Amino acid sequence: MVILLDANIFVRLANRADAQRDVTLEALSILHAGGHHTAIVPQVLYEYWVVATRPLTHNGLGMLPADVTVDLA
């Protein structure tokens, strides 16, 4: 089965301080171990970009656009 990943997955993975990061990694491991494949669509990449580059004071990650570009490459 192919599982469509939401932008929140990428936001949690990019934020090492996120309390749910380890749970997210474990869930992805379980999916892959179960033979599932993951997929993303352009909208997810856009949403991740918006949250990742948004300032911390506005519920974002405060990352620089260049760093987000590296994440997306």
Side-chain angles (χ1 to χ4, degrees), residues 8-72:
N8 291 319
I9 299 294
F10 298 100
V11 171
R12 290 194 189 283
L13 294 177
N15 182 4
R16 295 190 181 274
D18 191 305
Q20 297 298 314
R21 187 174 191 273
D22 290 340
V23 172
T24 302
L25 286 168
E26 183 177 350
L28 290 170
S29 294
I30 290 169
L31 286 173
H32 289 159
H36 301 289
H37 299 281
T38 55
I40 57 173
V41 293
Q43 178 67 28
V44 170
L45 300 176
Y46 172 77
E47 290 173 4
Y48 170 69
W49 177 276
V50 169
V51 174
T53 58
R54 186 181 307 145
L56 293 169
T57 57
H58 290 92
N59 202 28
L61 297 180
M63 295 174 68
L64 296 173
D67 294 333
V68 178
T69 300
V70 169
D71 281 352
L72 295 176

